[in-house]
Amino acid sequence: MSLEKPYLDVPGTTIFDAEQSRLGYHLNQFCMSLMKAENRSRFKADERAYLDEWPMSEDQKQAVLARDLNRCISLGGNIYFLAKIGATDGRSFQQMAGSMTGMTEEEYRNMMIGGGRSADGNRIVGEHGDAQAENQPQGEAGRLLKKSPLPASGTAPHPKTPGSEQ
Amino acid sequence: MAKITASVYTSHVPAIGAALDLGKTQEPYWQPVFQGYDFGKQWLKDNKPDVIFLVFNDHATAFSLEMIPTFAIGTAAEYTPADEGWGPRPVPKVIGHPELAAHIAQSVIQQDFDLTIVNKMDVDHGLTVPLSLMCGQPEAWPCPVIPFAVNVVQYPVPSGRRCFELGKAIRKAVESFDKPLNVQIWGTGGMSHQLQGPRAGLINKEFDNMFLDRLISDPEGLASVPHIDYVREAGSEGIELVMWLIARGAMSDVAGGPAPTVKNRFYHVPASNTAVGHLILENN
């Protein structure tokens, strides 16, 4: 009998279950290491060399170097672990969460002050809310990234969560 | 005999801790949040317990992916505030109550709940922010605290029903302790929020207020709400609300006593990425 996973059709959302945890084990453990000031300094001094100490996939390392949190999550990262990277960079939780929406920091902050994102249209893939795949990116930051000649690295769809990516 | 006299419920947002530590409580953005706790701070001074049993979740701090306990009870003499990546919060260390904690561990495991016993851990904002909200910035916390960590990071997390039943077992455990201690149980974390992906920033005031209504008057029914409803309605991190059902299940009305008195209820949006909810219920 297959496992019950009723959460695979929530738009813009990857649930960190045992399968994701397995995929992201070394990525998340790398993040944990940044809870020590000494490790934060070593990482900042040479990010690539520090990442190479961990048996992470090249995709995972590239996603960390690009600070592409959506991509990190699709590769097994969990936001509470990934927050240690943001903390090392001196970013707030709000800046980190906002970075995954394609909005500028100001756009995201204003959305929260305005009462936050509505659940309406965002409960199930296929509705028409702002978190749905066809409505990405949601703001100016994402539109600028899209115009850039370099391919944005957060664009690969997650195999298990249709619609969770841009 | 020890007794649970009241339950306190509150969100535990890291930015709230930062706002407090950096002296921003009177800024227009934060002032309404902290004002919502003015009553609770005075109430705690007037109703100081001997021990606080504090239900919270660790945020990839004490527990990495090396070990993921579903329910973990702290039986240590003291706990140090953790460095979550921004450096440790400048708050007092947390003094435990090993004797009562060990008694609760023994009793609750005998009631068929598999607790992990923790004798060494650092405590993160999940535990220290609720203490700060209710106590301000004291030299020392007002009483010993028993940390009780629930896994709500890696799914599947325990169901609302299991949390509610666990609360009942904790009440029995406390009441079988042979010393006259006044114990409060705090359920922390939650209200709607999502911290990940293109759906980040989700806030659902209707769901949150329905949750508060039912937590007060229909906790038994509320315990049946499945995980997927929390995810769809309250965001992927809104699942933290199941921890409130542990505290609610420990109240005496659940075991046939009179309904509790609602001493305070507060709700505000936003604090950083989340809605903030707060409730105080007194046993009668």
Side-chain angles (χ1 to χ4, degrees), chain A residues 75-138:
Chain A
L75 296 169
N78 170 274
I79 187 57
Y80 290 126
F81 289 81
L82 297 170
K84 320 295 184 199
I85 304 174
T88 300
D89 292 337
R91 303 179 82 201
S92 71
F93 233 114
Q94 188 171 65
Q95 289 168 324
M96 287 181 250
S99 79
M100 290 180 274
T101 64
M103 292 185 230
T104 62
E105 186 179 346
E106 193 186 6
E107 285 170 334
Y108 182 82
R109 187 178 162 87
N110 286 341
M111 176 178 81
M112 297 314 295
I113 291 170
R117 178 191 306 285
S118 173
D120 291 341
N122 290 324
R123 291 181 175 88
I124 298 173
V125 165
E127 298 178 321
H128 302 290
D130 45 12
Q132 299 284 340
E134 72 274 15
N135 294 332
Q136 306 311 310
Q138 297 168 53

Side-chain angles (χ1 to χ4, degrees), chain B residues 6 39 49 53 57 66 92 102-103 108 111 166 168 173 210 220 236:
Chain B
F39 178 92
F53 188 94
N57 67 292
E66 283 181 13
H103 172 88
V108 168
Q111 294 177 69
L166 173 60
K168 294 182 191 174
M210 176 281 292
E220 184 76 44
S236 48

Side-chain angles (χ1 to χ4, degrees), chain B residues 33-115:
Chain B
V33 175
F34 289 99
Q35 197 173 31
Y37 289 82
D38 285 348
F39 178 92
K41 277 158 82 173
Q42 188 57 47
W43 175 88
L44 188 64
K45 278 184 187 152
D46 298 341
N47 297 273
K48 193 170 100 59
D50 298 312
V51 186
I52 294 168
F53 188 94
L54 202 155
V55 181
F56 74 112
N57 67 292
D58 180 76
H59 303 75
T61 302
F63 305 119
S64 68
L65 294 184
E66 283 181 13
M67 278 176 277
I68 307 163
T70 298
F71 298 119
I73 185 167
T75 48
E78 60 180 54
Y79 309 88
T80 305
D83 179 351
E84 297 179 54
W86 291 274
R89 286 193 66 210
V91 293
K93 68 182 175 189
V94 175
I95 304 301
H97 197 301
E99 192 187 355
L100 178 61
H103 172 88
I104 293 172
Q106 172 94 8
S107 168
V108 168
I109 292 168
Q110 284 177 338
Q111 294 177 69
D112 289 342
F113 286 90
D114 306 316
L115 307 189

Side-chain angles (χ1 to χ4, degrees), chain A residues 6-7 9-18 21 28-29 32 35 40 70 73 79-81 84 87 91 93-94 97 100 108 112 115-117 119 122-124 131 136 138 164, chain B residues 14 29 59-61 63-66 68 83-87 153-155 193-205 228 231-233 236-237 240 269-270 272-274:
Chain A
Y7 43 76
D9 66 349
V10 182
T13 304
T14 304
I15 293 299
F16 188 68
D17 60 10
S21 178
N28 290 315
Q29 293 298 91
M32 283 301 284
M35 287 175 69
R40 294 196 284 271
N70 281 330
I73 285 174
I79 187 57
Y80 290 126
F81 289 81
K84 320 295 184 199
R91 303 179 82 201
F93 233 114
Q94 188 171 65
M100 290 180 274
Y108 182 82
M112 297 314 295
R117 178 191 306 285
N122 290 324
R123 291 181 175 88
I124 298 173
Q136 306 311 310
Q138 297 168 53
S164 72
Chain B
Y29 184 90
H59 303 75
T61 302
F63 305 119
S64 68
L65 294 184
E66 283 181 13
I68 307 163
D83 179 351
E84 297 179 54
W86 291 274
V153 172
Q154 180 175 316
Y155 286 64
H193 65 303
Q194 175 152 338
L195 304 175
Q196 55 140 328
R199 196 173 178 248
L202 186 117
I203 298 286
N204 189 337
K205 289 180 195 172
I228 187 64
V231 176
R232 288 200 205 287
E233 299 294 335
S236 48
E237 280 65 55
E240 289 180 353
V269 177
S272 184
N273 297 290
T274 95

Side-chain angles (χ1 to χ4, degrees), chain B residues 127-240:
Chain B
L127 184 127
T128 60
V129 165
L131 287 171
S132 295
L133 280 169
M134 292 295 288
C135 308
Q137 294 172 292
E139 291 287 310
W141 301 120
C143 67
V145 176
I146 298 174
F148 190 89
V150 180
N151 166 45
V152 286
V153 172
Q154 180 175 316
Y155 286 64
V157 312
S159 67
R161 169 66 51 197
R162 186 158 167 79
C163 288
F164 191 60
E165 296 297 325
L166 173 60
K168 294 182 191 174
I170 291 168
R171 186 190 58 80
K172 281 188 196 162
V174 168
E175 290 184 355
S176 67
F177 189 68
D178 199 19
K179 284 185 183 165
L181 293 180
N182 168 356
V183 180
Q184 287 178 7
I185 184 163
W186 292 15
T188 76
M191 289 279 115
S192 56
H193 65 303
Q194 175 152 338
L195 304 175
Q196 55 140 328
R199 196 173 178 248
L202 186 117
I203 298 286
N204 189 337
K205 289 180 195 172
E206 291 73 27
F207 180 90
D208 289 339
N209 280 292
M210 176 281 292
F211 186 92
L212 291 168
D213 289 343
R214 293 185 74 187
L215 191 75
I216 294 166
S217 59
D218 177 30
E220 184 76 44
L222 185 61
S224 299
V225 171
H227 283 159
I228 187 64
D229 289 13
Y230 288 91
V231 176
R232 288 200 205 287
E233 299 294 335
S236 48
E237 280 65 55
I239 194 69
E240 289 180 353

